[in-house]
Amino acid sequence: MLEIQTTMSIKCIGLLTSGGDSPGMNAAIRAVTRTAIFNKIRVKAIYRGYNGLITGEIKEFQTQDVSNIIQQGGTILKTARSEEFRTIEGMQKAYDNLKKEEIDGLVVIGGDGTFTGARIFAQQFNIPIVGIPGTIDNDLFGTDFTIGYDTALNTIINAVDKIRDTANSHERLFFIEVMGRDAGFLALNGAVASGAESAIIPEMVTNFDQLEKLIANGFRKSKNSSIVLVAEGDTIDGGAVGLANRVNKEYPQYNVRVTILGHIQRGGSPTASDRILASRMGVAAVDALLDGQRNIMIGIVNNEIVYVPFTKAIKDDKPVDKDNSLMSALRILSI
Ligand code: F6P
């Protein structure tokens, strides 16, 4: 009985993307829109993240508004990191627009910044909000994968494969810096998947002498190059540039180059995994709102949908390599 009453109370869902874009966000936008319409719920697209909620950049979507977008990278809703939404005045304007547009529940797609804003907004103004994890960083607790991570990983290995050709030809050592903010998921898994000699990640302390041994290995026998993936969050070692400078100074025998992959990792058509993940999460987000859930992120753990409170998703630690097995595999496989 209670469930039916809650279900009836949501008549119009607002949908936005916020923070760094990630491939697969469009697939999630499509899934949320069509699931809402399937359930006879109106859906309103909010442009430019929380900024659009503040300025009222809002448009009602029909199923055809999300046609032909599942394969597109980026987000058709645009995205932003809103400073004004951090203020109570900004949130009040956002709330006024929600009321004006008759939006009674929100689905927000993004990463930890997006959910931090959502959590505070939901608490202050009593709005039901459900989050969908969209970030290439894969750094949210409570879900095995975030939307965009798999595509970014594939972009990384394609780039590393190309760099390997030139590294081999010139017998060089490459430090390749990848994104991930404070997390090493992209660097560690990218290194394993591309056959790199090593990965430097913020979660683990770098032993420089051990690293040199691994690099030396790269030039032994049949191998004549060495590639080290460095997570951008590895600030202790100074990232790829800092490490390259140190190697240049202490081991001048190496011919060192640095590549910073940068925003190429955020673009491109999403992989099948990301499209499926986004589609499942989009459907689950609308179902969750209609079931009366609020202040939760949709996660998928062991292939099952789970609800994770925003506070846990943002604050709890998601281990990059719980038992060190991945790092150990990387070491074994790079001999
Ligand atoms: O969170 C996604 C991410 O791409 C991080 O990996 C990176 O540190 C950051 O966003 C870059 O942000 P911006 O696009 O604002 O430079």
Side-chain angles (χ1 to χ4, degrees):
M1 185 63 186
L2 183 66
E3 255 185 32
I4 293 167
Q5 278 175 353
T6 326
T7 303
M8 296 304 288
S9 68
I10 302 264
K11 293 192 176 64
C12 179
I13 291 174
L15 170 64
L16 60 83
T17 49
S18 160
D21 59 307
S22 68
M25 279 184 165
N26 283 327
I29 292 166
R30 172 180 176 269
V32 170
T33 301
R34 293 201 169 160
T35 309
I37 292 170
F38 177 83
N39 283 288
K40 305 203 170 11
I41 308 287
R42 296 169 74 195
V43 55
K44 294 198 174 178
I46 299 155
Y47 288 85
R48 299 184 170 78
Y50 293 116
N51 279 343
L53 203 50
I54 293 169
T55 57
E57 259 190 287
I58 299 170
K59 178 193 165 204
E60 183 154 0
F61 262 14
Q62 308 300 337
T63 61
Q64 62 270 24
D65 288 305
V66 294
S67 290
N68 205 22
I69 65 167
I70 194 168
Q71 76 280 22
Q72 290 174 25
T75 160
I76 61 162
L77 299 185
K78 314 291 180 205
T79 187
R81 295 190 173 101
S82 175
E83 283 306 316
E84 198 178 352
F85 194 68
R86 291 171 196 265
T87 65
I88 192 71
E89 293 80 12
M91 285 197 182
Q92 182 63 53
K93 284 187 203 162
Y95 179 76
D96 293 344
N97 276 324
L98 281 186
K99 289 287 120 194
K100 193 171 131 206
E101 295 284 342
E102 297 176 333
I103 294 171
D104 27 46
L106 268 183
V107 174
V108 297
I109 309 172
D112 56 358
T114 306
F115 298 156
T116 303
R119 187 184 61 81
I120 299 167
F121 189 49
Q123 266 172 5
Q124 302 271 344
F125 292 91
N126 195 25
I127 305 284
I129 308 185
V130 168
I132 296 179
T135 165
I136 64 164
D137 301 337
N138 199 33
D139 58 350
L140 291 164
F141 175 87
T143 187
D144 289 343
F145 300 109
T146 56
I147 297 166
Y149 168 65
D150 184 63
T151 307
L153 207 47
N154 278 283
T155 301
I156 289 170
I157 64 168
N158 287 332
V160 176
D161 288 351
K162 291 189 170 86
I163 291 170
R164 181 67 84 176
D165 290 343
T166 176
N168 271 336
S169 304
H170 284 268
E171 300 179 289
R172 280 177 171 158
L173 158 63
F174 268 84
F175 288 99
I176 302 176
E177 189 167 294
V178 300
M179 280 187 168
R181 206 178 285 277
D182 304 323
F185 291 94
L186 287 171
L188 181 53
N189 288 282
V192 172
S194 63
E197 275 58 44
S198 187
I200 308 292
I201 57 171
E203 293 88 345
M204 288 180 203
V205 179
T206 312
N207 178 328
F208 200 71
D209 294 333
Q210 211 173 36
L211 176 67
E212 198 279 322
K213 281 199 189 83
L214 285 164
I215 291 168
N217 265 341
F219 292 97
R220 278 191 312 116
K221 298 180 194 155
S222 58
K223 289 195 199 178
N224 56 6
S225 64
S226 208
I227 291 182
V228 179
L229 259 61
V230 185
E232 65 174 352
D234 179 68
T235 45
I236 293 180
D237 299 300
V241 172
L243 280 160
N245 287 341
R246 189 161 168 197
V247 170
N248 268 332
K249 212 159 119 201
E250 296 182 28
Y251 303 99
Q253 69 272 31
Y254 295 119
N255 185 354
V256 184
R257 289 290 185 275
V258 172
T259 302
I260 296 174
L261 289 187
H263 286 79
I264 194 171
Q265 296 162 92
R266 285 241 295 264
S269 181
T271 59
S273 294
D274 273 329
R275 295 181 197 196
I276 295 165
L277 186 69
S279 299
R280 289 184 69 190
M281 286 179 162
V283 172
V286 175
D287 285 350
L289 266 184
L290 298 186
D291 272 354
Q293 295 289 334
R294 43 172 65 209
N295 294 340
I296 51 116
M297 177 194 84
I298 301 295
I300 292 189
V301 175
N302 296 330
N303 209 25
E304 279 186 17
I305 296 283
V306 293
Y307 298 153
V308 191
F310 281 143
T311 35
K312 279 184 92 60
I314 303 159
K315 293 215 177 94
D316 284 17
D317 196 34
K318 180 174 177 181
V320 68
D321 187 20
K322 211 191 284 175
D323 50 5
N324 271 348
S325 59
L326 210 50
M327 193 56 105
S328 144
L330 181 62
R331 281 199 195 112
I332 293 166
L333 299 177
S334 69
I335 56 169

